[in-house]
Amino acid sequence: MTFWKKISNVFHKIPLWMAGVVVGVMFLLQGIHGGQLEDMYRKAVMICLECIGIG
């Protein structure tokens, strides 16, 4: 039972926002690894070109 108390104390010392950042970075890396970065960049460029009236 002391193991779980030690683990609990460690997790209470980590701020919640830091856990969110870690999860967010993991999702970003998963998307980059899956090839989603090219699609996102292409869509962002097309939106910008449409906004300024070129595309």
Side-chain angles (χ1 to χ4, degrees):
M1 196 57 131
T2 59
F3 172 75
W4 295 111
K5 288 182 181 179
K6 289 179 185 177
I7 295 294
S8 177
N9 289 338
V10 169
F11 284 123
H12 285 296
K13 293 179 183 177
I14 298 173
L16 190 58
W17 65 267
M18 193 177 295
V21 168
V22 169
V23 170
V25 168
M26 286 173 40
F27 279 125
L28 283 172
L29 291 174
Q30 182 181 7
I32 290 171
H33 181 70
Q36 296 296 320
L37 188 62
E38 296 171 13
D39 286 340
M40 183 188 66
Y41 184 73
R42 183 177 41 81
K43 289 177 184 179
V45 168
M46 291 306 296
I47 289 172
C48 285
L49 291 176
E50 289 175 3
C51 286
I52 59 175
I54 294 175

